[in-house]
Amino acid sequence: DAQRGLPACVACHGERITGIAPFVPGLLGLPRDYLVAQLGAWQSDNRHTLAPDCMAQIAKKLKPAEIEAISTWLADQAVPAESKAELADSRRQWPMKCGSNLP
């Protein structure tokens, strides 16, 4: 939701949502409850990453029903046979500055 400053998961976690090596993790294959818990931890400042903490910024904009829907959808996706993370590329256009994607 660009109007709310919420990028799609694929914008940071890769086209196949299998991560961007070496810093952005994949999201497929993770249980729904784990995903809900991690997003909740970012919302409540119990989880952090390098500043600027873009996942905390994103999580704090999500409503509980959105967290549930996103987590359920991700958990229901099949892990691709070739589930390797994409390699980071200096030309990649990130949707926002994050501690994990700054030079």
Side-chain angles (χ1 to χ4, degrees), residues 76-93:
D76 286 346
Q77 301 310 299
V79 177
E82 280 293 317
S83 61
K84 294 174 74 175
E86 296 174 30
L87 294 177
D89 183 337
S90 62
R91 296 168 290 170
R92 182 179 188 86
Q93 296 295 310

Side-chain angles (χ1 to χ4, degrees), residues 22-90:
F23 302 113
V24 182
L27 300 176
L28 300 184
L30 299 172
R32 182 194 67 79
D33 290 345
Y34 174 81
L35 294 164
V36 169
Q38 296 309 303
L39 288 168
W42 265 303
Q43 282 186 324
S44 63
D45 292 322
N46 287 314
R47 180 167 183 171
H48 305 276
T49 190
L50 298 173
D53 190 344
C54 56
M55 274 308 304
Q57 294 172 40
I58 291 167
K60 288 175 182 181
K61 294 177 184 178
L62 293 172
K63 299 172 184 150
E66 292 171 322
I67 289 176
E68 184 69 30
I70 291 165
S71 299
T72 298
W73 185 86
L74 286 168
D76 286 346
Q77 301 310 299
V79 177
E82 280 293 317
S83 61
K84 294 174 74 175
E86 296 174 30
L87 294 177
D89 183 337
S90 62

